[in-house]
Amino acid sequence: MISSFEPIILIYGILNRLQKKRIIQIYFSLFLMLLSALSEALTLSISLPFLASLSNPQNLYEFKIINYFLSFFRINTDNNLIIPIVIIFCLAICISSALRLLNIWVNCKVIALIGNDLGKLGYSNILKQSYSFHIETKSSQLITGLTSKLEYCLESIYSSFQFLLSITISFSIIITLLFINWRSTILSTLIFLLIYILISSKSRNYLTANSKLI
């Protein structure tokens, strides 16, 4: 049976063969993931004052951060408060979306560079093999290893990047919601976890069989 940690160990072994410059780029991508998570949490935090400003501006005074904002900018009326809240909310959404797009672009760029490095490394290793190796090994196997198998490898690395991004953003959103309403957050989290466990239990056997076949 395939261990749950085996893919992680294999991916780590692959990344460990990369040059130092590529490792730095991976760390930069992880840093962008953290920024994206923080921006999502900030947008979620601002959404409540934004909705309150549209429905009933008097509700804004229930938020401590709004009171600090009012005292700092010396705003006394509700009308003067709505416009800054709307502007800040729109800026937060733009920044969050820009960070997500930048993160996706950087991830794709890094994955492409990793694929280039692994392709060069694989081709170099093939050229260094002995003459008897090339006689005994079919060229189709070598070509498959440098094309489709490398593509599977890059897809796994990209999926790992997306998994880390999703986990980071989900964690930041859950933490933010816990500060807003911890009871509803815990209840909804448990419900979604139960649904996820049920779906994964149904699909795990198919995924395991396909992964063994590949």
Side-chain angles (χ1 to χ4, degrees):
M1 183 176 181
I2 297 178
S3 172
S4 300
F5 296 99
E6 186 175 346
I8 300 177
I9 297 174
L10 290 174
I11 291 175
Y12 175 78
I14 292 172
L15 297 180
N16 198 34
R17 292 176 175 269
L18 300 176
Q19 51 186 315
K20 186 177 180 180
K21 179 175 67 175
R22 208 67 69 222
I23 301 298
I24 295 176
Q25 292 172 344
I26 293 175
Y27 284 141
F28 177 70
S29 180
L30 296 177
F31 175 71
L32 285 180
M33 292 182 189
L34 181 60
L35 288 182
S36 297
L38 294 176
S39 65
E40 292 288 343
L42 178 63
T43 303
L44 184 61
S45 302
I46 297 176
S47 62
L48 292 179
F50 171 73
L51 295 175
S53 66
L54 296 180
S55 59
N56 188 0
Q58 294 296 329
N59 295 332
L60 289 172
Y61 299 100
E62 299 178 359
F63 302 96
K64 293 182 179 181
I65 189 172
I66 297 298
N67 292 322
Y68 293 141
F69 181 80
L70 293 175
S71 60
F72 182 80
F73 290 98
R74 297 179 181 179
I75 299 176
N76 300 320
T77 62
D78 298 336
N79 294 329
N80 293 334
L81 181 61
I82 294 176
I83 296 178
I85 291 294
V86 173
I87 293 176
I88 293 174
F89 181 71
C90 293
L91 286 176
I93 291 179
C94 292
I95 293 174
S96 177
S97 301
L99 284 174
R100 289 293 298 274
L101 291 174
L102 178 62
N103 204 344
I104 293 174
W105 182 83
V106 170
N107 286 348
C108 293
K109 184 73 173 179
V110 172
I111 294 299
L113 293 173
I114 291 175
N116 185 52
D117 292 344
L118 294 179
K120 288 181 179 178
L121 181 62
Y123 186 67
S124 176
N125 287 337
I126 291 175
L127 292 180
K128 293 178 182 178
Q129 297 300 318
S130 62
Y131 178 76
S132 59
F133 170 83
H134 290 283
I135 293 296
E136 297 172 357
T137 306
K138 295 181 180 180
S139 60
S140 59
Q141 294 179 349
L142 301 179
I143 295 174
T144 302
L146 290 175
T147 53
S148 60
K149 298 298 176 60
L150 179 59
E151 184 179 353
Y152 292 147
C153 175
L154 297 179
E155 288 177 357
S156 300
I157 297 175
Y158 180 75
S159 298
S160 301
F161 274 52
Q162 293 300 108
F163 175 75
L164 288 175
L165 177 61
S166 301
I167 288 295
T168 306
I169 293 177
S170 299
F171 182 76
S172 65
I173 290 176
I174 291 174
I175 293 297
T176 305
L177 291 175
L178 285 174
F179 282 102
I180 297 174
N181 191 331
W182 64 272
R183 290 187 179 88
S184 299
T185 302
I186 293 177
L187 179 61
S188 59
T189 302
L190 291 176
I191 292 174
F192 279 110
L193 281 177
L194 179 61
I195 295 174
Y196 176 80
I197 291 173
L198 291 175
I199 294 175
S200 61
S201 63
K202 296 293 183 181
S203 59
R204 181 173 183 177
N205 293 333
Y206 296 104
L207 293 175
T208 303
N210 290 335
S211 63
K212 287 182 177 180
L213 179 61
I214 293 174

